[in-house]
Amino acid sequence: MKVAFSTQDKLRVDAHFGWAKNILIYEVTADGSELVESHEFGGKLEEDGDEDKLAPKIEAVKDCAILYVAAIGGSGAARIVAAKIHPIKVPQPESIAEIIGKLQEVLKGTPPPWLRKVLTKGQDKAPDFEDDEVEHG
């Protein structure tokens, strides 16, 4: 699954989504991870109320299942959730490598229901007829 990280220094989740200079996107599995995209953003990122700055960031993370942020505004959060991306706020700056490691441990075990749902993002759900009972008449 693809996981996005809001970052200023490209090492830690340390950025408000709207103010982030960088968004890194990793492909994360239970067995490994790989940086697949790196997006840089310029301009007046600190300006509150500038909804236009969110559009390119939302476009950058549209294929991701999870977005890690230090903070996110109400409008940004609503738009992320509407794009079927699960935002996760970290309480203080945290290493991207450590977050990936923790996520991989969860993936190796029994992921919570919200994460199992997130894992299916982008997959076409084929109907599962195996458990359906068929009456013969």
Side-chain angles (χ1 to χ4, degrees):
M1 90 179 129
K2 285 187 179 179
V3 181
F5 300 90
S6 270
T7 178
Q8 302 296 43
D9 64 8
K10 295 188 177 183
L11 298 173
R12 302 171 300 154
V13 172
D14 61 353
H16 182 290
F17 180 63
W19 303 353
K21 290 180 187 166
N22 304 287
I23 293 180
L24 301 182
I25 298 176
Y26 284 79
E27 184 68 42
V28 179
T29 66
D31 302 316
S33 65
E34 177 184 5
L35 177 65
V36 292
E37 292 176 56
S38 177
H39 300 274
E40 278 192 40
F41 301 92
K44 295 182 180 176
L45 298 173
E46 298 83 17
E47 232 175 85
D48 279 337
D50 181 6
E51 297 299 312
D52 292 340
K53 73 180 175 193
L54 293 178
K57 291 181 178 179
I58 292 168
E59 178 66 21
V61 301
K62 71 176 185 217
D63 294 333
C64 296
I66 301 173
L67 167 66
Y68 283 90
V69 297
I72 189 167
S75 171
R79 290 167 71 179
I80 288 296
V81 170
K84 297 191 180 357
I85 301 165
H86 189 86
I88 297 179
K89 199 169 140 183
V90 297
Q92 67 255 355
E94 190 171 348
S95 157
I96 291 170
E98 286 178 22
I99 292 171
I100 289 173
K102 290 177 188 175
L103 184 56
Q104 287 174 315
E105 286 304 310
V106 172
L107 292 172
K108 287 176 186 172
T110 304
W114 72 265
L115 185 53
R116 286 197 300 268
K117 184 177 180 185
V118 165
L119 288 169
T120 63
K121 179 178 175 146
Q123 296 177 5
D124 289 331
K125 297 283 280 176
D128 180 6
F129 297 114
E130 197 171 304
D131 294 329
D132 291 355
E133 291 184 25
V134 178
E135 289 187 33
H136 298 283

